[in-house]
Amino acid sequence: MLRRPVVVRRGPGLLGTVARTAVIAGTATATSNAITAHQQRRHAESAAAQQAAYEGYQASRPQPAAATGDLTAELGKLAALRESGALTEEEFAAAKARLLGT
């Protein structure tokens, strides 16, 4: 009677191990790239929001007259308006404070 030889499977072999390693490495690289891209997007959005907030803050700040024109000329105009009666003392004080940035 002839017996069949017993076939013993020892493992995936060299080619199977290389293939499995390549799949794992590819998956790890894809995951790492996705996480990095997500973090970069979040950082860019955060930086854009901070820049917009800063620009909004800068726009809301009163600008001193020296930055926009001649301060003494502006104060002279205000004084002339006060002397002519077009401005009250309170209005003059408020406009002067706005010009001086205080």
Side-chain angles (χ1 to χ4, degrees):
M1 188 165 171
L2 292 171
R3 288 185 145 187
R4 289 177 131 190
V6 177
V7 177
V8 177
R9 180 139 173 96
R10 294 183 203 168
L14 181 60
L15 190 57
T17 302
V18 169
R20 183 177 299 130
T21 303
V23 169
I24 291 170
T27 304
T29 301
T31 303
S32 174
N33 290 343
I35 289 171
T36 301
H38 177 71
Q39 288 174 341
Q40 287 175 346
R41 263 194 318 275
R42 282 183 41 203
H43 177 69
E45 290 169 359
S46 174
Q50 287 177 351
Q51 181 67 26
Y54 177 74
E55 288 171 358
Y57 167 74
Q58 288 293 74
S60 68
R61 289 181 58 204
Q63 297 297 320
T68 60
D70 188 17
L71 180 62
T72 55
E74 292 293 323
L75 287 174
K77 289 178 189 176
L78 284 176
L81 287 172
R82 181 187 61 181
E83 290 172 8
S84 70
L87 289 178
T88 65
E89 283 297 321
E90 293 81 23
E91 292 171 333
F92 173 76
K96 179 179 159 186
R98 196 171 40 246
L99 275 176
L100 297 175
T102 57

Coordinates of all heavy atoms in Angstrom, one line a residue:
M1 N 0.8 -1.2 0.0 CA 0.0 0.0 0.0 C 0.9 1.2 0.0 O 1.8 1.3 0.8 CB -0.8 -0.1 1.2 CG -1.8 0.9 1.3 SD -2.8 0.3 2.5 CE -3.8 1.2 3.0
L2 N 0.5 2.2 -0.9 CA 1.3 3.4 -1.0 C 0.7 4.4 0.0 O -0.5 4.6 0.0 CB 1.2 3.9 -2.4 CG 1.9 3.1 -3.4 CD1 1.6 3.6 -4.8 CD2 3.4 3.1 -3.2
R3 N 1.6 5.1 0.6 CA 1.1 6.2 1.5 C 1.4 7.5 0.9 O 2.5 7.7 0.3 CB 1.8 6.1 2.8 CG 1.4 4.9 3.6 CD 2.1 5.1 4.9 NE 1.2 4.6 6.0 CZ 1.5 4.7 7.2 NH1 2.6 5.3 7.6 NH2 0.7 4.2 8.1
R4 N 0.5 8.4 1.1 CA 0.8 9.8 0.6 C 1.7 10.4 1.6 O 1.5 10.3 2.8 CB -0.5 10.6 0.6 CG -1.4 10.1 -0.6 CD -2.6 10.9 -0.4 NE -2.9 11.5 -1.8 CZ -3.8 12.4 -2.0 NH1 -4.5 12.9 -1.0 NH2 -4.1 12.8 -3.1
P5 N 2.6 11.2 1.1 CA 3.5 12.0 2.1 C 2.7 13.0 2.8 O 1.8 13.7 2.2 CB 4.6 12.6 1.2 CG 4.1 12.5 -0.2 CD 3.0 11.5 -0.2
V6 N 2.9 13.3 4.0 CA 2.3 14.3 4.8 C 2.9 15.6 4.5 O 4.1 15.8 4.5 CB 2.4 14.0 6.3 CG1 1.8 15.1 7.1 CG2 1.9 12.6 6.7
V7 N 2.0 16.5 4.1 CA 2.4 17.9 3.7 C 2.3 18.8 5.0 O 1.2 18.9 5.5 CB 1.6 18.5 2.6 CG1 2.1 19.9 2.2 CG2 1.8 17.6 1.4
V8 N 3.3 19.3 5.4 CA 3.3 20.2 6.6 C 3.5 21.6 6.1 O 4.5 22.0 5.4 CB 4.4 19.8 7.6 CG1 4.4 20.7 8.8 CG2 4.3 18.4 8.0
R9 N 2.6 22.5 6.5 CA 2.7 23.9 6.1 C 3.4 24.6 7.2 O 3.1 24.5 8.4 CB 1.3 24.5 6.0 CG 1.3 25.9 5.6 CD 0.2 26.2 4.6 NE 0.1 27.6 4.3 CZ 0.7 28.2 3.3 NH1 1.4 27.5 2.5 NH2 0.5 29.5 3.1
R10 N 4.5 25.2 6.8 CA 5.4 25.8 7.8 C 5.1 27.3 8.0 O 5.5 27.9 9.0 CB 6.8 25.7 7.4 CG 7.2 24.2 7.4 CD 8.6 24.1 7.1 NE 8.8 22.7 6.6 CZ 9.9 22.3 6.0 NH1 10.9 23.2 5.8 NH2 10.0 21.1 5.6
G11 N 4.5 28.0 7.1 CA 4.2 29.4 7.2 C 4.0 30.0 5.8 O 4.0 29.3 4.8
P12 N 3.9 31.3 5.7 CA 3.7 31.9 4.4 C 4.8 31.9 3.5 O 4.7 32.2 2.3 CB 3.3 33.4 4.8 CG 3.9 33.6 6.1 CD 4.0 32.3 6.8
G13 N 6.0 31.7 3.9 CA 7.1 31.7 3.1 C 7.7 33.1 2.9 O 7.1 34.1 3.4
L14 N 8.8 33.2 2.2 CA 9.5 34.5 2.1 C 8.6 35.5 1.3 O 8.5 36.7 1.7 CB 10.8 34.3 1.4 CG 11.7 35.5 1.2 CD1 12.0 36.2 2.6 CD2 12.9 35.2 0.5
L15 N 8.1 35.1 0.2 CA 7.3 36.0 -0.6 C 6.0 36.5 0.1 O 5.7 37.7 0.1 CB 6.9 35.3 -1.9 CG 6.3 36.2 -3.0 CD1 7.2 37.3 -3.3 CD2 5.9 35.4 -4.2
G16 N 5.4 35.6 0.8 CA 4.2 36.0 1.6 C 4.5 37.0 2.7 O 3.8 38.0 3.0
T17 N 5.7 36.8 3.4 CA 6.1 37.7 4.4 C 6.4 39.1 3.9 O 6.1 40.1 4.4 CB 7.3 37.1 5.2 OG1 7.0 35.9 5.7 CG2 7.8 38.1 6.3
V18 N 7.1 39.1 2.7 CA 7.4 40.4 2.1 C 6.2 41.1 1.7 O 6.0 42.3 1.9 CB 8.4 40.1 0.9 CG1 8.5 41.4 0.0 CG2 9.7 39.7 1.3
A19 N 5.2 40.4 1.1 CA 4.0 41.0 0.7 C 3.2 41.6 1.9 O 2.7 42.7 1.8 CB 3.1 40.0 0.0
R20 N 3.1 40.8 3.0 CA 2.4 41.3 4.2 C 3.1 42.5 4.7 O 2.4 43.5 5.1 CB 2.4 40.2 5.2 CG 1.6 40.6 6.5 CD 1.5 39.5 7.5 NE 0.8 38.4 6.9 CZ 1.2 37.1 7.0 NH1 2.3 36.8 7.6 NH2 0.5 36.1 6.4
T21 N 4.4 42.5 4.8 CA 5.2 43.7 5.3 C 4.9 44.9 4.4 O 4.7 46.0 4.9 CB 6.7 43.4 5.3 OG1 6.9 42.2 6.1 CG2 7.5 44.6 5.9
A22 N 4.9 44.7 3.1 CA 4.6 45.9 2.2 C 3.2 46.4 2.4 O 3.0 47.7 2.4 CB 4.8 45.4 0.7
V23 N 2.2 45.6 2.6 CA 0.9 46.1 2.9 C 0.8 46.9 4.2 O 0.2 48.0 4.3 CB -0.1 44.9 2.9 CG1 -1.5 45.3 3.4 CG2 -0.3 44.3 1.5
I24 N 1.4 46.4 5.2 CA 1.4 47.0 6.5 C 2.2 48.4 6.4 O 1.7 49.4 6.9 CB 2.1 46.1 7.6 CG1 1.2 44.9 7.9 CG2 2.3 46.9 8.9 CD1 1.8 43.9 8.7
A25 N 3.3 48.4 5.7 CA 4.1 49.7 5.6 C 3.3 50.7 4.8 O 3.2 51.9 5.1 CB 5.4 49.4 4.9
G26 N 2.6 50.2 3.7 CA 1.8 51.1 2.9 C 0.6 51.7 3.7 O 0.3 52.9 3.6
T27 N 0.0 50.9 4.5 CA -1.1 51.4 5.3 C -0.6 52.4 6.3 O -1.3 53.4 6.5 CB -1.8 50.2 6.0 OG1 -2.2 49.2 5.0 CG2 -3.0 50.6 6.8
A28 N 0.5 52.1 6.9 CA 1.0 53.0 7.9 C 1.4 54.4 7.3 O 1.1 55.4 7.9 CB 2.3 52.4 8.6
T29 N 2.0 54.3 6.1 CA 2.4 55.6 5.4 C 1.1 56.4 5.0 O 1.1 57.6 5.2 CB 3.2 55.2 4.1 OG1 4.3 54.5 4.5 CG2 3.6 56.5 3.4
A30 N 0.1 55.7 4.5 CA -1.1 56.4 4.1 C -1.8 57.0 5.4 O -2.3 58.2 5.3 CB -2.1 55.4 3.5
T31 N -1.8 56.3 6.5 CA -2.4 56.9 7.7 C -1.6 58.1 8.2 O -2.2 59.1 8.6 CB -2.5 55.8 8.8 OG1 -3.2 54.7 8.3 CG2 -3.1 56.3 10.0
S32 N -0.3 58.0 8.2 CA 0.5 59.1 8.6 C 0.4 60.3 7.8 O 0.2 61.4 8.3 CB 2.0 58.6 8.6 OG 2.9 59.7 8.9
N33 N 0.3 60.1 6.5 CA 0.1 61.3 5.6 C -1.3 61.9 5.8 O -1.4 63.1 5.7 CB 0.2 60.8 4.1 CG 1.6 60.4 3.7 OD1 2.6 60.8 4.4 ND2 1.8 59.7 2.6
A34 N -2.3 61.1 6.0 CA -3.6 61.7 6.3 C -3.7 62.5 7.6 O -4.3 63.6 7.6 CB -4.7 60.5 6.3
I35 N -3.0 62.0 8.6 CA -3.0 62.7 9.9 C -2.2 64.0 9.7 O -2.6 65.1 10.2 CB -2.4 61.8 11.0 CG1 -3.3 60.7 11.3 CG2 -2.0 62.6 12.2 CD1 -2.8 59.6 12.2
T36 N -1.1 64.0 9.0 CA -0.3 65.2 8.8 C -1.1 66.2 8.0 O -1.1 67.4 8.4 CB 1.0 64.8 8.1 OG1 1.7 63.9 8.8 CG2 1.9 66.1 7.8
A37 N -1.8 65.8 7.0 CA -2.6 66.7 6.2 C -3.7 67.3 7.0 O -3.9 68.5 6.9 CB -3.2 66.0 5.0
H38 N -4.3 66.5 7.8 CA -5.4 67.1 8.7 C -4.8 68.1 9.7 O -5.4 69.2 9.9 CB -6.0 65.9 9.5 CG -7.1 66.3 10.4 ND1 -8.3 66.8 10.0 CD2 -7.1 66.4 11.8 CE1 -9.0 67.1 11.1 NE2 -8.3 66.8 12.2
Q39 N -3.7 67.8 10.3 CA -3.1 68.8 11.2 C -2.7 70.1 10.5 O -2.9 71.1 11.1 CB -1.9 68.1 11.9 CG -2.2 67.1 12.9 CD -1.0 66.3 13.4 OE1 0.1 66.4 12.8 NE2 -1.2 65.7 14.6
Q40 N -2.2 70.0 9.3 CA -1.8 71.2 8.6 C -3.0 72.0 8.2 O -3.0 73.2 8.3 CB -1.0 70.8 7.3 CG 0.4 70.3 7.6 CD 1.1 69.8 6.3 OE1 0.5 69.6 5.3 NE2 2.4 69.6 6.5
R41 N -4.1 71.3 7.8 CA -5.4 72.1 7.6 C -5.9 72.8 8.8 O -6.2 74.0 8.7 CB -6.4 71.1 7.1 CG -6.6 71.0 5.6 CD -7.9 70.3 5.1 NE -8.2 69.1 5.9 CZ -7.7 67.9 5.6 NH1 -6.9 67.7 4.7 NH2 -8.1 66.9 6.4
R42 N -5.8 72.1 9.9 CA -6.3 72.7 11.2 C -5.4 73.9 11.5 O -5.9 75.0 12.0 CB -6.3 71.7 12.3 CG -7.5 70.8 12.2 CD -7.6 69.8 13.4 NE -7.3 70.4 14.7 CZ -6.9 69.7 15.7 NH1 -6.7 68.4 15.7 NH2 -6.6 70.3 16.9
H43 N -4.1 73.8 11.4 CA -3.2 74.9 11.7 C -3.4 76.1 10.8 O -3.5 77.2 11.2 CB -1.8 74.4 11.6 CG -0.7 75.5 11.8 ND1 -0.5 76.0 13.1 CD2 0.1 76.1 11.0 CE1 0.4 77.0 13.0 NE2 0.8 77.0 11.7
A44 N -3.6 75.8 9.5 CA -3.9 76.9 8.5 C -5.2 77.6 8.9 O -5.3 78.8 8.8 CB -3.9 76.3 7.1
E45 N -6.2 76.9 9.2 CA -7.5 77.5 9.6 C -7.4 78.3 10.8 O -7.9 79.4 10.9 CB -8.6 76.4 9.8 CG -9.0 75.7 8.5 CD -9.9 74.5 8.7 OE1 -10.1 74.1 9.9 OE2 -10.3 73.9 7.7
S46 N -6.6 77.8 11.8 CA -6.4 78.5 13.0 C -5.6 79.8 12.8 O -6.0 80.9 13.3 CB -5.7 77.6 14.0 OG -5.3 78.4 15.2
A47 N -4.6 79.7 12.0 CA -3.8 80.9 11.6 C -4.6 81.9 10.9 O -4.5 83.1 11.1 CB -2.6 80.5 10.8
A48 N -5.5 81.5 10.0 CA -6.4 82.4 9.2 C -7.4 83.1 10.2 O -7.6 84.3 10.0 CB -7.1 81.7 8.1
A49 N -7.9 82.3 11.1 CA -8.9 82.9 12.1 C -8.2 84.0 13.0 O -8.7 85.0 13.2 CB -9.5 81.8 12.9
Q50 N -6.9 83.7 13.4 CA -6.2 84.6 14.2 C -5.9 85.9 13.4 O -6.0 87.0 13.9 CB -4.9 84.0 14.7 CG -5.2 83.0 15.8 CD -3.9 82.3 16.3 OE1 -2.8 82.5 15.7 NE2 -3.9 81.6 17.4
Q51 N -5.5 85.7 12.1 CA -5.2 86.9 11.3 C -6.4 87.7 11.1 O -6.4 88.9 11.1 CB -4.6 86.4 9.9 CG -4.2 87.5 9.0 CD -3.1 88.3 9.5 OE1 -2.2 87.8 10.3 NE2 -3.0 89.6 9.1
A52 N -7.6 87.1 10.8 CA -8.8 87.8 10.7 C -9.2 88.6 11.9 O -9.6 89.8 11.9 CB -9.9 86.9 10.2
A53 N -9.0 87.9 13.1 CA -9.3 88.6 14.3 C -8.4 89.8 14.6 O -8.9 90.9 15.0 CB -9.2 87.6 15.5
Y54 N -7.1 89.6 14.2 CA -6.2 90.7 14.4 C -6.5 91.9 13.5 O -6.5 93.0 13.9 CB -4.8 90.2 14.1 CG -3.7 91.3 14.2 CD1 -3.3 91.8 15.5 CD2 -3.1 91.9 13.1 CE1 -2.4 92.8 15.5 CE2 -2.2 92.9 13.1 CZ -1.8 93.3 14.4 OH -0.9 94.4 14.4
E55 N -6.9 91.6 12.2 CA -7.2 92.7 11.3 C -8.5 93.4 11.7 O -8.6 94.6 11.6 CB -7.4 92.1 9.9 CG -6.0 91.7 9.3 CD -6.2 90.9 8.0 OE1 -7.3 90.6 7.5 OE2 -5.1 90.6 7.4
G56 N -9.4 92.6 12.3 CA -10.7 93.2 12.8 C -10.4 94.1 14.0 O -10.9 95.2 14.1
Y57 N -9.4 93.7 14.8 CA -9.0 94.5 16.0 C -8.4 95.8 15.5 O -8.6 96.9 16.0 CB -8.1 93.7 16.8 CG -7.4 94.5 17.9 CD1 -8.1 95.0 19.0 CD2 -6.0 94.8 17.7 CE1 -7.4 95.8 19.9 CE2 -5.4 95.6 18.7 CZ -6.0 96.1 19.8 OH -5.4 96.8 20.7
Q58 N -7.4 95.7 14.5 CA -6.7 96.8 14.0 C -7.7 97.8 13.4 O -7.5 99.0 13.5 CB -5.7 96.4 13.0 CG -4.5 95.7 13.6 CD -3.7 96.6 14.5 OE1 -4.1 97.0 15.6 NE2 -2.5 97.0 14.0
A59 N -8.7 97.3 12.6 CA -9.6 98.2 12.0 C -10.5 98.9 13.0 O -10.9 100.1 12.7 CB -10.5 97.4 11.0
S60 N -10.8 98.3 14.1 CA -11.7 98.9 15.1 C -10.9 100.0 16.0 O -11.6 100.8 16.7 CB -12.3 97.9 16.0 OG -11.3 97.3 16.8
R61 N -9.6 99.9 16.0 CA -8.9 100.9 16.8 C -8.9 102.3 16.2 O -8.8 102.4 15.0 CB -7.4 100.4 16.9 CG -7.2 99.2 17.7 CD -5.8 98.8 17.8 NE -5.0 99.9 18.4 CZ -3.7 100.0 18.2 NH1 -3.0 99.2 17.5 NH2 -3.0 101.0 18.7
P62 N -9.1 103.3 17.1 CA -9.0 104.6 16.5 C -7.6 105.0 16.1 O -6.6 104.7 16.7 CB -9.5 105.5 17.7 CG -9.2 104.7 18.9 CD -9.3 103.3 18.5
Q63 N -7.6 105.6 14.9 CA -6.3 106.0 14.3 C -6.0 107.4 14.8 O -6.8 108.3 14.6 CB -6.3 105.9 12.8 CG -6.5 104.5 12.3 CD -5.4 103.6 12.7 OE1 -4.2 103.9 12.7 NE2 -5.7 102.3 13.1
P64 N -4.8 107.7 15.3 CA -4.4 109.1 15.6 C -4.3 109.9 14.4 O -4.0 109.4 13.3 CB -3.1 109.0 16.3 CG -2.6 107.6 16.1 CD -3.8 106.8 15.6
A65 N -4.6 111.2 14.5 CA -4.6 112.1 13.4 C -3.3 112.2 12.7 O -3.2 112.5 11.5 CB -5.1 113.5 13.8
A66 N -2.2 112.1 13.5 CA -0.9 112.2 12.9 C -0.6 111.1 11.9 O 0.1 111.3 11.0 CB 0.2 112.1 14.0
A67 N -1.3 110.0 12.0 CA -1.2 108.9 11.1 C -2.0 109.2 9.8 O -1.6 108.7 8.7 CB -1.6 107.6 11.7
T68 N -3.0 110.0 9.9 CA -3.9 110.2 8.7 C -3.7 111.6 8.1 O -4.2 111.9 7.1 CB -5.4 110.0 9.1 OG1 -5.7 110.9 10.2 CG2 -5.6 108.6 9.6
G69 N -3.0 112.5 8.8 CA -2.9 113.9 8.3 C -2.2 114.7 9.3 O -1.5 114.3 10.2
D70 N -2.3 116.0 9.1 CA -1.6 117.0 10.0 C -2.4 117.2 11.2 O -3.6 117.7 11.2 CB -1.4 118.3 9.2 CG -0.5 119.2 10.0 OD1 0.2 118.8 10.9 OD2 -0.5 120.4 9.6
L71 N -1.9 116.8 12.4 CA -2.6 116.9 13.6 C -2.9 118.3 14.0 O -4.1 118.6 14.4 CB -1.8 116.3 14.7 CG -2.3 116.2 16.1 CD1 -3.6 115.5 16.2 CD2 -1.4 115.7 17.1
T72 N -2.0 119.3 13.8 CA -2.3 120.6 14.2 C -3.4 121.3 13.3 O -4.2 122.0 13.8 CB -1.0 121.5 14.1 OG1 -0.4 121.4 12.8 CG2 0.0 121.0 15.1
A73 N -3.4 120.9 12.0 CA -4.4 121.4 11.2 C -5.8 120.9 11.6 O -6.8 121.7 11.6 CB -4.1 121.0 9.7
E74 N -5.9 119.6 11.9 CA -7.2 119.1 12.4 C -7.6 119.7 13.7 O -8.8 120.0 13.9 CB -7.0 117.6 12.6 CG -6.8 116.8 11.3 CD -8.0 116.8 10.4 OE1 -9.2 116.8 10.9 OE2 -7.8 116.9 9.2
L75 N -6.7 119.9 14.6 CA -7.0 120.6 15.9 C -7.5 122.0 15.6 O -8.4 122.6 16.3 CB -5.9 120.5 16.9 CG -5.6 119.2 17.5 CD1 -4.3 119.2 18.3 CD2 -6.8 118.7 18.3
G76 N -6.8 122.7 14.7 CA -7.2 124.1 14.3 C -8.6 124.1 13.8 O -9.4 125.1 14.1
K77 N -9.0 123.2 12.9 CA -10.3 123.1 12.4 C -11.3 122.9 13.5 O -12.4 123.6 13.5 CB -10.4 122.0 11.4 CG -9.7 122.3 10.1 CD -9.9 121.1 9.2 CE -9.0 121.2 7.9 NZ -9.1 120.0 7.1
L78 N -11.0 122.0 14.4 CA -11.9 121.8 15.6 C -12.1 123.0 16.4 O -13.2 123.4 16.8 CB -11.4 120.6 16.4 CG -11.6 119.2 15.9 CD1 -11.0 118.2 16.8 CD2 -13.1 118.9 15.7
A79 N -11.0 123.7 16.7 CA -11.0 125.0 17.5 C -11.9 126.0 16.8 O -12.7 126.7 17.4 CB -9.6 125.5 17.7
A80 N -11.7 126.1 15.4 CA -12.5 127.1 14.7 C -14.0 126.8 14.8 O -14.9 127.7 14.9 CB -12.0 127.1 13.2
L81 N -14.3 125.5 14.7 CA -15.7 125.1 14.8 C -16.3 125.4 16.2 O -17.4 125.8 16.3 CB -15.9 123.6 14.4 CG -15.7 123.2 13.0 CD1 -15.7 121.7 12.8 CD2 -16.9 123.8 12.2
R82 N -15.5 125.2 17.2 CA -15.9 125.5 18.6 C -16.1 127.0 18.7 O -17.1 127.4 19.3 CB -14.9 125.0 19.6 CG -15.3 125.2 21.0 CD -14.2 124.9 22.0 NE -13.1 125.7 21.7 CZ -12.0 125.7 22.4 NH1 -11.8 124.8 23.3 NH2 -11.0 126.5 22.1
E83 N -15.2 127.8 18.2 CA -15.3 129.2 18.3 C -16.5 129.8 17.6 O -17.2 130.7 18.0 CB -14.1 129.9 17.9 CG -12.9 129.7 18.8 CD -11.6 130.2 18.2 OE1 -11.6 130.8 17.2 OE2 -10.5 129.9 18.9
S84 N -16.9 129.1 16.4 CA -18.0 129.6 15.7 C -19.3 129.2 16.3 O -20.4 129.6 15.9 CB -17.9 129.1 14.2 OG -18.1 127.7 14.2
G85 N -19.3 128.2 17.2 CA -20.5 127.8 17.9 C -21.0 126.5 17.3 O -22.1 126.0 17.7
A86 N -20.4 126.0 16.3 CA -20.9 124.7 15.6 C -20.6 123.5 16.5 O -21.4 122.5 16.4 CB -20.1 124.5 14.3
L87 N -19.7 123.6 17.4 CA -19.4 122.5 18.4 C -19.5 123.0 19.8 O -19.1 124.1 20.1 CB -18.0 122.0 18.2 CG -17.7 121.2 16.9 CD1 -16.2 120.7 16.9 CD2 -18.5 119.9 16.8
T88 N -20.1 122.2 20.7 CA -20.1 122.5 22.1 C -18.8 122.1 22.7 O -18.0 121.4 22.1 CB -21.3 121.8 22.8 OG1 -21.0 120.4 22.8 CG2 -22.6 122.1 22.2
E89 N -18.6 122.5 23.9 CA -17.3 122.1 24.6 C -17.2 120.6 24.7 O -16.1 120.1 24.6 CB -17.3 122.7 26.0 CG -16.9 124.2 26.1 CD -15.5 124.5 25.5 OE1 -14.6 123.7 25.8 OE2 -15.4 125.5 24.8
E90 N -18.3 119.9 25.0 CA -18.3 118.5 25.2 C -18.0 117.8 23.8 O -17.2 116.9 23.7 CB -19.6 117.9 25.7 CG -20.0 118.3 27.1 CD -20.5 119.7 27.2 OE1 -21.1 120.2 26.2 OE2 -20.4 120.4 28.2
E91 N -18.6 118.3 22.7 CA -18.3 117.7 21.4 C -16.9 118.0 21.0 O -16.2 117.1 20.4 CB -19.2 118.3 20.4 CG -20.7 117.9 20.5 CD -21.6 118.7 19.7 OE1 -21.3 119.9 19.3 OE2 -22.7 118.2 19.3
F92 N -16.4 119.2 21.3 CA -15.0 119.5 21.0 C -14.0 118.6 21.8 O -13.1 118.1 21.2 CB -14.7 121.0 21.4 CG -13.2 121.3 21.2 CD1 -12.7 121.5 20.0 CD2 -12.4 121.5 22.4 CE1 -11.3 121.9 19.8 CE2 -11.1 121.8 22.2 CZ -10.5 122.0 21.0
A93 N -14.3 118.4 23.1 CA -13.4 117.5 23.9 C -13.5 116.1 23.3 O -12.4 115.4 23.3 CB -13.9 117.5 25.3
A94 N -14.6 115.6 22.9 CA -14.7 114.2 22.4 C -14.0 114.1 21.1 O -13.2 113.1 20.9 CB -16.2 113.8 22.2
A95 N -14.1 115.1 20.2 CA -13.4 115.0 18.9 C -11.9 115.1 19.1 O -11.1 114.5 18.4 CB -13.9 116.1 18.0
K96 N -11.5 116.0 20.0 CA -10.1 116.2 20.3 C -9.5 114.9 20.9 O -8.4 114.4 20.5 CB -9.9 117.3 21.3 CG -8.4 117.6 21.7 CD -8.4 118.7 22.7 CE -7.1 118.7 23.5 NZ -7.1 119.8 24.5
A97 N -10.2 114.2 21.8 CA -9.7 112.9 22.3 C -9.7 111.9 21.2 O -8.7 111.1 21.2 CB -10.7 112.5 23.4
R98 N -10.6 111.9 20.3 CA -10.6 110.9 19.2 C -9.4 111.2 18.3 O -8.7 110.2 17.9 CB -11.9 111.0 18.4 CG -12.2 109.9 17.5 CD -13.6 109.9 16.9 NE -14.0 111.2 16.5 CZ -15.0 111.9 17.0 NH1 -15.7 111.4 18.0 NH2 -15.4 113.1 16.5
L99 N -9.1 112.5 18.0 CA -7.9 112.8 17.2 C -6.6 112.4 17.9 O -5.7 111.9 17.2 CB -7.9 114.3 17.0 CG -8.7 114.8 15.8 CD1 -8.6 116.3 15.7 CD2 -8.2 114.2 14.5
L100 N -6.5 112.6 19.2 CA -5.3 112.3 19.9 C -5.2 110.8 20.2 O -4.1 110.4 20.7 CB -5.2 113.1 21.2 CG -5.1 114.7 20.9 CD1 -5.2 115.4 22.2 CD2 -3.9 115.0 20.1
G101 N -6.2 110.1 20.0 CA -6.2 108.6 20.3 C -6.2 108.3 21.7 O -5.8 107.3 22.2
T102 N -6.8 109.1 22.5 CA -7.0 108.9 24.0 C -8.4 108.6 24.4 O -9.3 108.7 23.6 CB -6.5 110.0 24.8 OG1 -7.2 111.2 24.5 CG2 -5.0 110.2 24.6

